Structures are given as structure tokens and as C-alpha cells.
Amino acid sequence: EIYEEVGEKFNINSSKQLGQILFEKLNLPPVKKIKTGYSTNEEVLQTLCLIRPSLKKILDYRQLFKLESTYIRPFPGLINPRTGRIHTSFNQTVTATGRLSSSQPNLQNIPIRNKFGEKFRQAFIAEEGNLFLSADYSQIELRILAHLSGDPNLKKAFDRNEDIHQQTAAEIFNVLPLQLTSQMRRLAKVVNFGIVYGISSYGLARDLGISQKEAEEYIQHYFQRYPQVKEYLGQVVKKAREKGYVRTLLGRKRYLPGILSSNRKMREMAERAAINTPIQGGAADLIKLAMVNLEKRFREEELEAWIILQIHDELIFEVPERELDETRRIVKEEMEGAMKLSVPLVVETKVGKNWAEMSS
DNA sequence: GCGATCACGTA
DNA sequence: GTACGTGATCGCG
């Protein structure tokens, strides 16, 4: 159908060929340029759909092809003949922030939001008599930011265990929580993510599809309400300039060679890394500590449970059914207590027979 | 065969 | 705007 729409056969997987068809043959407006020519990424195709709705088919094709080639086709060949299971490798010395990475296969990026995500996760099944237990830190990065910055307003939200995005929305729009719309919450959520990533008005504008000026206003408003966050972020960057590196909660260093660069793009990228690393790396420190403590506790308490996956802010365990309640209690205790921060840590647990059917 | 690039899956 | 890994294509050799 796609070939018919554009009047010829071509390789849809080739962004180069697709670009030639869309922007040279069909003369569609090149929404975004990249080093090598025209971008054909999802955002661009979405925009072009307004002119030519049939391009939706290309997006659908892309999604299905990605899932088939990355998550379906390779997996049967990765089953270990001895164990009958798939075993990932966790790499300890790869990332710049101290996170783990996972490869061969990467089990830290199995689809979940996608409408087919559930189907994939159904394929991961606990051994007969066992269950999967997942335990994830709630809003860990923003809690670490609250701890590091000491901002009273941000801390207040966590002390009361409130919905942080809703709280931020109420702050930046200056309305009562009851007057909030889902649109306002969505926007606040994007702003919160932006803060953790070392926000720029450029990036925020792009994410929200608003002007850079509007984005700047949101950021200003945020910092007005969370002044110590602003103060803290400024200090982090200043210290990075002085020392040439930043540190995470447990003292891990990340050097930032670009921090004094005369090239603005390089320098600003290093500044964002300076902001993000203590937060992302701090969360990595925390969960690693929890993992070590948990393994010890499992041995001490003679529990059979074991960690099967770590996905940055989440641990997944395989647990004999009869040990579920005790394991769950200990997991929550060890994870929430791994470090004493100035805001509470909250861990949510779920249980299921497979990776898709996990309920509280 | 290798590396760069793009696109896209996760936190 | 942060951090990754994988698959496909493509140009170079």
C-alpha cells in the first residue's frame, strides 16, 4: 500500500530513500534537517501526516518492523540450551553516570508503553511455583533532587507523599490542586523531567511544541516556586567549572572535559551533564547499594528469592510463592532504607506470574 | 567486514 | 535537555 501511495517500490527501512521519495519526488516540506539530509523520524512523519494522512502507514510499518527485528526475531536464538532461559549481561563499567547497562540482549528496554508491549512481556514467565516480584522507586530522581537542593517546596510534596507532577502543576500555574486540568499536569511532568535533564528553553519548547519564549517563562516560573533548586543547579555547574568534575551521592566522579569549552554547544552539553549526573548517578548508587544489601538479607533470612533484572529504578525478583510475603516486606524495607535522605524513599511493589501481568 | 548514522525501544 | 543498546542501511575498504 505504501508503494502504491508514492507510486514506486523502495526500501522503507532506508531513511535516505524515504527522504528522497517524500521531499524530492512528492515535494513535501522538509520539516527538519539532519547532518546527512532530511530527517524522517517519527516527529517529522507525524507532522507530514497532516498533509498526507496516508503516511501513517509508514509509521505503523516502522513500529512493527522495529518490534519484529529487535524483540521477536533474535530472542529464540538467545535461549541458553543448558538453562532454557534467556540471560542478559549486565555491564558495570560502561555508562558515564554509574548506571548499569544491559546487552545481549538488552533487557532494560523491553517495550511497555507500546500497544504490543504487553504481548512481549507475557513471554517472560516465572518458573512453576515461582512468581515475579517487581519493586520500583517512585520518582527517585526528583526525590534525589529534593535531597540535594534542600528546596523546602519540593521536599514538602514528598514529605506529604503527594502527586509530584500535580503539585508542580499547582505551583507553576498558581492554582488550587482541584482546579488543575490533565493538560496542566502533563505539562508540569515534562517540566519536571526537563529539570532533571538540565533544562534548556530550546529542549522544553521542542518537547511541548511551544515557542522558546513560552518555554523560558515556564522555567522562570518553576524556579520562582522552587528557588533552592535554581540555587543548587547553579552551584553544581559552578563547582563543575572549578573542579572539572561532578560527584554522585556515594562520591563517584564524572569528569566533564567540555565544561570550559569555548564552543557553546559543547559547554552547554557539559553543563547539562553536570546537572544530570549527580541525580541519575545518585539513583544508580542508591539502587546498587540496595541490591548488595538485599542479596545479603536473602542469605541471612534463608530466602530463595533472587534478583533477575535491574532496570535503573526498578528491581525484578523471582520468588517461590510461599516466600512472597516475607520477601516483599524485606525488599521494600531494604530498598526504602538503602540510604537516609532528607526526603522519604517510596518503593512500590507488584506481583505476577509473568512480566506483563503484574498487579499490586 | 567495519564504523558512522539514523531511528527507536527503555529509565 | 540525561543515560543507554540494537537493528538496518550505507559508504568505505
Side-chain angles (χ1 to χ4, degrees):
Chain A
E1 287 174 17
I2 293 169
Y3 301 148
E4 258 174 48
E5 299 280 354
V6 306
E8 67 177 287
K9 250 188 114 170
F10 70 106
N11 185 345
I12 309 170
N13 292 322
S14 164
S15 23
K16 191 177 166 207
Q17 290 181 35
L18 179 60
Q20 281 164 356
I21 300 267
L22 295 178
F23 307 113
E24 288 169 18
K25 179 169 182 185
L26 302 177
N27 275 318
L28 291 164
V31 182
K32 186 177 158 200
K33 279 192 277 186
I34 52 176
K35 268 182 258 177
T36 50
Y38 317 106
S39 171
T40 66
N41 71 15
E42 185 183 351
E43 193 190 341
V44 169
L45 295 184
Q46 288 285 6
T47 307
L48 295 178
C49 271
L50 299 175
I51 307 171
R52 248 191 195 248
S54 59
L55 296 180
K56 178 79 173 55
K57 292 200 175 92
I58 295 175
L59 283 168
D60 291 345
Y61 170 86
R62 278 241 179 105
Q63 182 183 35
L64 292 171
F65 192 87
K66 172 78 179 177
L67 298 177
E68 202 276 334
S69 65
T70 308
Y71 300 105
I72 299 179
R73 207 187 308 154
F75 271 67
L78 295 167
I79 296 170
N80 181 308
R82 196 163 55 79
T83 63
R85 296 174 74 132
I86 286 171
H87 305 264
T88 185
S89 296
F90 282 107
N91 313 301
Q92 295 241 48
T93 54
V94 168
T95 69
T97 57
R99 275 187 173 184
L100 300 182
S101 78
S102 158
S103 57
Q104 292 191 311
N106 180 356
L107 292 183
Q108 290 179 322
N109 74 342
I110 299 299
I112 184 165
R113 279 181 283 276
N114 205 300
K115 77 175 203 218
F116 304 101
E118 193 184 343
K119 281 270 164 227
F120 288 108
R121 291 189 175 218
Q122 278 173 3
F124 297 82
I125 304 164
E127 206 74 28
E128 186 62 39
N130 291 352
L131 291 166
F132 286 155
L133 168 66
S134 89
D136 68 292
Y137 282 108
S138 161
Q139 304 296 347
I140 189 59
E141 296 193 333
L142 285 172
R143 285 176 200 266
I144 290 175
L145 176 63
H147 170 78
L148 292 172
S149 68
D151 186 278
N153 219 0
L154 194 54
K155 284 172 67 173
K156 190 174 71 191
F158 289 123
D159 283 334
R160 298 177 184 175
N161 206 16
E162 280 161 351
D163 176 333
I164 185 65
H165 301 310
Q166 191 173 307
Q167 201 54 38
T168 303
E171 293 289 356
I172 61 184
F173 292 106
N174 198 21
V175 298
L176 295 172
L178 279 172
Q179 300 171 300
L180 285 169
T181 62
S182 60
Q183 178 75 352
M184 289 154 102
R185 186 183 183 280
R186 189 188 66 84
L187 195 139
K189 186 173 173 179
V190 176
V191 171
N192 277 333
F193 269 102
I195 295 292
V196 167
Y197 293 157
I199 203 159
S200 77
S201 53
Y202 170 81
L204 187 65
R206 200 206 41 196
D207 252 33
L208 288 171
I210 58 177
S211 74
Q212 214 172 313
K213 186 152 169 288
E214 285 175 290
E216 236 157 76
E217 284 167 13
Y218 283 129
I219 297 169
Q220 265 194 19
H221 217 131
Y222 178 93
F223 285 138
Q224 227 168 51
R225 297 304 182 142
Y226 301 102
Q228 275 185 233
V229 171
K230 183 184 170 129
E231 166 70 16
Y232 162 74
L233 297 180
Q235 287 300 320
V236 165
V237 172
K238 178 164 175 270
K239 200 164 165 194
R241 284 189 197 118
E242 288 163 9
K243 305 261 186 192
Y245 60 82
V246 289
R247 283 183 185 274
T248 65
L249 280 177
L250 295 187
R252 184 196 312 276
K253 278 184 193 174
R254 177 179 180 180
Y255 282 91
L256 298 161
I259 198 78
L260 297 175
S261 170
S262 56
N263 178 324
R264 196 173 97 168
K265 212 179 140 166
M266 293 253 306
R267 193 175 62 244
E268 287 178 346
M269 199 183 283
E271 288 170 359
R272 291 192 298 272
I275 288 169
N276 177 258
T277 297
I279 302 172
Q280 187 185 119
D285 290 345
L286 174 78
I287 197 167
K288 283 178 172 178
L289 192 57
M291 291 168 78
V292 171
N293 295 342
L294 265 171
E295 288 287 353
K296 182 158 172 276
R297 273 297 286 282
F298 287 165
R299 280 198 305 276
E300 285 169 2
E301 316 264 346
E302 294 181 1
L303 290 168
E304 271 179 44
W306 73 104
I307 304 173
I308 55 174
L309 285 180
Q310 189 254 47
I311 313 176
H312 310 308
D313 64 356
E314 175 185 17
L315 295 175
I316 298 175
F317 307 84
E318 187 160 340
V319 187
E321 275 178 63
R322 63 179 190 292
E323 290 182 356
L324 176 67
D325 292 345
E326 193 183 356
T327 303
R328 193 177 197 160
R329 180 178 61 73
I330 288 171
V331 162
K332 202 166 149 70
E333 188 180 307
E334 289 293 341
M335 286 177 74
E336 290 180 346
M339 283 187 203
K340 180 84 189 130
L341 301 188
S342 66
V343 289
L345 298 178
V346 173
V347 168
E348 274 151 16
T349 59
K350 288 180 182 160
V351 177
K353 290 250 30 143
N354 68 54
W355 199 3
E357 296 165 13
M358 305 285 284
S359 56
S360 322

